[in-house]
Amino acid sequence: MIKNNLKIAFRNLFKNKLYSLINIGGLGVGMAVSFMLLLYVYNEFTFDKFYKNDDRIYSVLRNQPSNGEIQTSGSISSPVAAAMVKDFPEVEKAARTTWHDNHLFKYQDKSLNLPMLSADPALLDIFAYEFVKGSRATAFMELSSIVLTETGAKTIFGNDDPMGKIVKIDNTRNAKVTGVIKDLPANSSRKFQALGSWAMLEADMPWVKTNASWGNFNYRTYALVKPGTDIKKLNAKLAGLITKNNPEDKENKLMLSQFSRGHLYSEFKNGVSVGGAISYVRLFLMLAIGILLIACINFMNLSTARSENRAREVGVRKVVGASRFSIIWQFMGESLLMACISFVVALLIIGASLDYFNGIIHKSLAIPYGLSYFWIAGLGITLITGIIAGSYPALFLSSFKPVKVLKGINNAGKATLRPRQILVIVQFAFATCLIVSTMLIYKQLNYIKNLPVGYDKDGLVELSLIGKVYDQFESFRRDAIEAGAITEGSSTSGSITNDGSSSWGITWPGQLPGEDKLPISQMVTTYHFTKTFDIKVLEGRDFDMGRPSDSTAIMLNQSAVKLMRLKDPLGTIVYWQGAKRTVVGVVQDFIWGRASEPVSPVIIGYMKGWAGAASLRLNKNVSVSDALAKLQTVYKKYNAEYPFEYKFVDELYSEKFSNEQLLGTLTNSFTVLAIVISCLGLFGLASFSAEQRRKEIGIRKVLGASIANLWLNLSKEFMVLVTIAFLIGSAFSVYIMSQWLQNYTFRTNISIWVFAATITISLAVTLITVSWQAVKAAITNPVKNLRSE
């Protein structure tokens, strides 16, 4: 029986090659797109979940009131880790870490930058890193010890055994390799290739130890809690730890958040997790399901479109004793066969396009052929797809009455037309929703990208201040200007594209009670700040090398002046960073944090020894490549052993919109695919309709109807369906996009032209799709359709 059904299934596939190709191709493309999206979703859901103690690893976070809200930060003070282990028996281990940064590693004649963390030894136990060489117990027994990842070890030593070898870090510290750990998976938030001990960090940078106060929040802290710990109860006790040890600080409260949730649930509002990247992951999951669903609908429409050709077969089978169940099983079997073939096609498509997809999403996804769960999941989805796609055609075809179909009378098509129309409406409603959403995403992306930045980001490059460039920045700047590489340069505490740090305990004249507890963003610099970034000075001036008194000077942005309610800000004394500072300038607001949020108040302070980045404005009179070549020559004069690495500020600024850009690119790509797949379903319905109405068309033509009239008569019903789908899809997209736009303080409006463009595209695509079948039916000789009459 099964063998016989398989023979019939393959015969039908080869008999209707075009329809089989469209059916399998449409379903295969839909499955391929869905599988790639599901690979992405799986990658995100498993982010940081590969650690042995995943359910017990927690990040320590800090809540602090600010402007009537509570801000949540991962910056924690140095003494917290030790105090947690001492005061709370629920905490098994805790460790401090620095924020990972590039450091120069030198071995023999090789010099290169590697991302490095410094941490307490307990970090090795918390995350249970797997040692390939060495062990957790001995890794940091010596002060000058370094642990490398497999990639880090191979980068420095090639295929040589790294154990016991000495590397020089930042040209200052000789360290011995005491361990090699396995590389972490790509879906890990901890991106480092070298791990140094906290003791070595304090030895090299004494200020780390001397500034280890409860009020200096500079580090990350992780904790491993004991099995069975009630996190809510522990958080209730942990909240007052800072106040207990620093009675003057009653604002900062600590809490624990599961480490593996940090990637998807990174956004907090008033101390409560409100989401983050999870919203995009859910969106892509719904997109995967939607694409697969319209592919199934397309399959249904195309399968039933050829119902007339299978009617007599069903009639004969029923006459000779076949039950309806056996006929349903036959057609379901055909559907499952086509779904399995589509699965193979989908794997081929994924293999050919996965690199392109990875380039779009900036991931390194791969098909896990060697894992059993992939095949179980893939075949499971294929089975479900085959059942969903084949259910309606099987039920529809098996319902034919043998007496009627063998007499050539089959009106089942009229009964099924309405359900098929509903399916097409569902398809195009989904496509409409995607079209409207894509347009609004790009509209919002362009809107926030074109907001006034407040500085000129074009022609700016950024270098890390390391080595002699850090110690002799002014000399480096002058040499670079004299070489014709740059026109100006400034050193700052961090990148101008990222809101790096904040401070509180700041006082000013006329301050209201409690305002000294407000955290205010800060940027530390020396000279040439406004000229380098081309930031407009509204009042006063920039810091001046000819004015020694500027060593205690600050500048404020407009928002800071507004916060402090300063009517005449110049000359105002503001207490900041432990000293009285004089306001010498007011600058225009510039976007420093997220472009979706209001510009925050910023204090720009003069202070030496706090620089982390150098921003340099390239000379516009020479080409960018020439300017960079000259800059590299000057850089190597100061840092001969350091690689010359730079970043363009405009590219760093664009990274602020990476999520929106990814969302726009993916929805744009999949909108096109959704339209194509929907059109295949529409093509099937048009074919079905033309077949059902062939006698009507013949009579109309005999009575004098023109080809244009017949084309319009056949096309208008589809135009109505697409219009209905447009109305439904538009309503859904307005609701969804209105919710999405609420995440932005600065947001575009939902313009009427978006809907006008959508309906125009939908109707144009519909006409192109159905016209072939409509014209084909209209030009058919009426004698051919009416000969049986």
Side-chain angles (χ1 to χ4, degrees):
M1 185 70 177
I2 295 175
K3 183 179 178 182
N4 185 51
N5 284 340
L6 281 173
K7 280 184 179 180
I8 295 171
F10 276 110
R11 283 174 184 170
N12 278 301
L13 284 179
F14 289 106
K15 182 179 178 181
N16 303 292
K17 293 184 181 64
L18 177 61
Y19 275 84
S20 297
L21 184 63
I22 294 174
N23 236 340
I24 292 172
L27 193 57
V29 169
M31 291 174 73
V33 171
S34 296
F35 285 163
M36 284 193 287
L37 283 171
L38 290 174
L39 276 175
Y40 170 78
V41 170
Y42 176 77
N43 178 79
E44 295 299 291
F45 274 123
T46 56
F47 215 94
D48 283 332
K49 288 186 178 293
F50 46 81
Y51 294 105
K52 177 183 176 182
N53 301 314
D54 167 51
D55 60 330
R56 297 197 290 134
I57 301 174
Y58 285 81
S59 299
V60 182
L61 303 180
R62 176 174 52 87
N63 292 323
Q64 181 181 24
S66 174
N67 294 327
E69 296 183 348
I70 296 176
Q71 291 185 348
T72 301
S73 170
S75 298
I76 306 298
S77 52
S78 182
V80 166
M84 286 176 64
V85 175
K86 177 184 175 184
D87 295 351
F88 303 102
E90 300 94 331
V91 178
E92 186 174 314
K93 292 181 182 293
R96 302 162 290 183
T97 76
T98 57
W99 304 78
H100 75 263
D101 199 4
N102 284 342
H103 291 261
L104 180 71
F105 280 73
K106 186 178 180 183
Y107 176 71
Q108 295 178 349
D109 59 347
K110 183 184 289 186
S111 297
L112 46 89
N113 278 331
L114 291 183
M116 175 179 168
L117 283 179
S118 294
D120 288 317
L123 189 79
L124 300 175
D125 297 312
I126 292 172
F127 289 96
Y129 295 122
E130 186 176 348
F131 275 73
V132 178
K133 296 178 183 293
S135 68
R136 290 198 292 268
T138 60
F140 289 141
M141 287 184 66
E142 300 178 31
L143 175 68
S144 299
S145 303
I146 196 80
V147 174
L148 301 174
T149 63
E150 290 175 305
T151 297
K154 190 171 183 62
T155 303
I156 299 173
F157 303 104
N159 295 321
D160 294 343
D161 185 358
M163 292 297 289
K165 289 188 168 58
I166 304 298
V167 293
K168 195 166 190 177
I169 305 174
D170 293 332
N171 277 336
T172 58
R173 163 71 66 174
N174 288 324
K176 183 168 73 173
V177 179
T178 55
V180 177
I181 61 174
K182 273 194 171 183
D183 283 337
L184 299 177
N187 58 341
S188 168
S189 59
R190 304 189 61 74
K191 309 290 186 184
F192 66 87
Q193 294 181 19
L195 186 63
S197 70
W198 195 268
M200 185 171 71
L201 175 71
E202 290 182 335
D204 291 341
M205 300 178 180
W207 59 266
V208 171
K209 190 171 185 177
T210 56
N211 292 342
S213 67
W214 282 91
N216 191 4
F217 304 108
N218 284 331
Y219 310 108
R220 289 180 175 179
T221 300
Y222 302 99
L224 179 69
V225 300
K226 292 179 180 177
T229 298
D230 188 325
I231 297 300
K232 287 186 178 180
K233 290 182 179 179
L234 179 56
N235 274 338
K237 294 190 291 183
L238 186 63
L241 182 63
I242 293 178
T243 303
K244 175 185 174 182
N245 291 277
N246 183 17
E248 295 181 359
D249 188 350
K250 293 180 172 56
E251 287 73 34
N252 285 287
K253 309 293 183 184
L254 297 178
M255 71 173 184
L256 296 178
S257 177
Q258 190 169 357
F259 172 72
S260 58
R261 284 176 55 88
H263 177 70
L264 294 179
Y265 299 90
S266 59
E267 292 185 10
F268 290 80
K269 189 171 184 179
N270 291 323
V272 178
S273 175
V274 293
I278 185 63
S279 59
Y280 289 99
V281 174
R282 287 171 179 159
L283 181 63
F284 292 142
L285 178 60
M286 296 305 297
L287 192 59
I289 295 171
I291 292 286
L292 191 59
L293 181 62
I294 64 170
C296 290
I297 292 173
N298 166 70
F299 184 95
M300 294 177 191
N301 284 340
L302 285 172
S303 295
T304 53
R306 308 302 293 171
S307 61
E308 287 290 312
N309 295 342
R310 305 293 300 273
R312 290 183 182 276
E313 175 193 338
V314 173
V316 171
R317 282 178 170 272
K318 284 193 172 184
V319 167
V320 296
S323 65
R324 185 176 184 187
F325 176 79
S326 66
I327 295 173
I328 290 174
W329 171 245
Q330 177 198 334
F331 287 114
M332 286 297 294
E334 290 183 19
S335 174
L336 289 171
L337 175 64
M338 294 181 76
C340 289
I341 297 172
S342 298
F343 176 64
V344 175
V345 172
L347 291 180
L348 295 174
I349 294 172
I350 294 172
S353 57
L354 191 56
D355 287 343
Y356 173 74
F357 183 64
N358 281 332
I360 293 176
I361 63 175
H362 306 294
K363 302 282 184 182
S364 299
L365 304 181
I367 304 175
Y369 292 110
L371 299 179
S372 58
Y373 73 81
F374 166 74
W375 294 105
I376 293 171
L379 293 174
I381 293 173
T382 302
L383 179 64
I384 293 170
T385 301
I387 292 172
I388 293 173
S391 58
Y392 176 59
L395 293 171
F396 166 59
L397 291 169
S398 65
S399 67
F400 289 170
K401 303 298 182 184
V403 175
K404 290 185 177 181
V405 295
L406 291 177
K407 285 184 176 181
I409 304 170
N410 181 24
N411 296 321
K414 295 178 181 178
T416 193
L417 200 56
R418 190 176 300 278
R420 290 169 55 79
Q421 290 170 339
I422 292 173
L423 291 176
V424 169
I425 289 173
V426 171
Q427 278 187 307
F428 269 87
F430 182 75
T432 297
C433 194
L434 283 179
I435 295 171
V436 172
S437 299
T438 300
M439 288 186 178
L440 288 175
I441 289 167
Y442 274 108
K443 193 168 182 281
Q444 172 65 13
L445 181 59
N446 290 329
Y447 179 79
I448 57 178
K449 271 189 172 182
N450 293 325
L451 285 172
V453 181
Y455 61 91
D456 183 7
K457 61 184 182 297
D458 297 325
L460 271 178
V461 294
E462 193 175 281
L463 310 176
S464 294
L465 274 180
I466 49 180
K468 291 182 179 178
V469 172
Y470 175 87
D471 299 325
Q472 305 173 37
F473 175 73
E474 284 299 327
S475 297
F476 166 74
R477 169 186 162 273
R478 284 194 297 269
D479 287 350
I481 292 174
E482 290 173 3
I486 66 172
T487 56
E488 194 50 275
S490 177
S491 64
T492 56
S493 52
S495 173
I496 196 163
T497 60
N498 289 311
D499 186 354
S501 66
S502 60
S503 181
W504 52 93
I506 303 165
T507 61
W508 59 85
Q511 189 176 62
L512 299 177
E515 286 187 332
D516 60 320
K517 306 300 183 182
L518 294 177
I520 299 177
S521 297
Q522 61 187 8
M523 176 176 279
V524 176
T525 184
T526 51
Y527 304 109
H528 330 294
F529 178 78
T530 57
K531 191 176 179 182
T532 298
F533 294 105
D534 196 16
I535 294 176
K536 187 176 181 181
V537 180
L538 302 177
E539 296 182 58
R541 57 177 176 80
D542 197 347
F543 306 128
D544 188 346
M545 296 182 73
R547 298 175 187 252
S549 61
D550 277 3
S551 60
T552 57
I554 60 171
M555 293 186 289
L556 305 175
N557 72 343
Q558 291 170 285
S559 294
V561 172
K562 184 178 180 181
L563 173 69
M564 298 178 185
R565 300 175 301 281
L566 302 178
K567 295 182 178 179
D568 187 13
L570 297 183
T572 299
I573 303 299
V574 176
Y575 186 82
W576 172 74
Q577 288 298 326
K580 293 181 178 179
R581 313 280 177 169
T582 304
V583 178
V584 299
V586 176
V587 301
Q588 181 177 298
D589 280 345
F590 56 91
I591 295 176
W592 193 18
R594 293 180 60 186
S596 59
E597 299 173 349
V599 176
S600 59
V602 178
I603 294 176
I604 304 161
Y606 178 96
M607 195 177 294
K608 289 186 176 180
W610 197 351
S615 296
L616 309 169
R617 184 161 297 281
L618 297 179
N619 187 353
K620 293 182 180 179
N621 295 324
V622 298
S623 67
V624 173
S625 58
D626 287 345
L628 290 173
K630 292 178 179 180
L631 183 61
Q632 181 176 7
T633 302
V634 178
Y635 183 86
K636 286 295 184 180
K637 173 183 172 183
Y638 288 83
N639 282 347
E641 296 177 337
Y642 285 80
F644 177 62
E645 297 177 345
Y646 59 88
K647 295 178 180 178
F648 288 100
V649 172
D650 58 346
E651 293 178 357
L652 291 173
Y653 184 80
S654 294
E655 290 177 5
K656 292 176 181 288
F657 317 109
S658 58
N659 284 338
E660 292 83 357
Q661 189 70 56
L662 172 62
L663 181 60
T665 302
L666 287 180
T667 52
N668 183 45
S669 301
F670 296 137
T671 295
V672 174
L673 285 171
I675 292 172
V676 170
I677 295 173
S678 297
C679 286
L680 291 175
L682 193 63
F683 177 84
L685 183 58
S687 173
F688 182 87
S689 178
E691 192 170 333
Q692 291 292 317
R693 299 176 62 184
R694 65 186 188 279
K695 291 184 180 180
E696 175 196 336
I697 294 169
I699 293 171
R700 285 179 179 273
K701 197 165 185 181
V702 168
L703 294 176
S706 65
I707 292 177
N709 287 334
L710 292 172
W711 170 80
L712 180 62
N713 188 270
L714 286 170
S715 300
K716 66 182 180 182
E717 64 176 287
F718 302 107
M719 308 292 280
V720 172
L721 293 179
V722 171
T723 303
I724 294 171
F726 165 75
L727 295 174
I728 296 172
S730 295
F732 273 104
S733 59
V734 166
Y735 174 76
I736 294 169
M737 295 311 297
S738 295
Q739 297 296 313
W740 181 71
L741 288 171
Q742 291 302 314
N743 296 321
Y744 298 87
T745 301
F746 306 107
R747 52 182 176 267
T748 187
N749 60 326
I750 300 178
S751 306
I752 192 66
W753 69 260
V754 172
F755 302 97
T758 301
I759 188 63
T760 300
I761 292 170
S762 299
L763 292 177
V765 168
T766 301
L767 284 175
I768 293 171
T769 303
V770 304
S771 288
W772 186 80
Q773 284 289 358
V775 172
K776 178 184 175 183
I779 62 176
T780 301
N781 190 337
V783 174
K784 183 178 179 181
N785 292 332
L786 298 174
R787 65 176 60 174
S788 62
E789 302 297 320

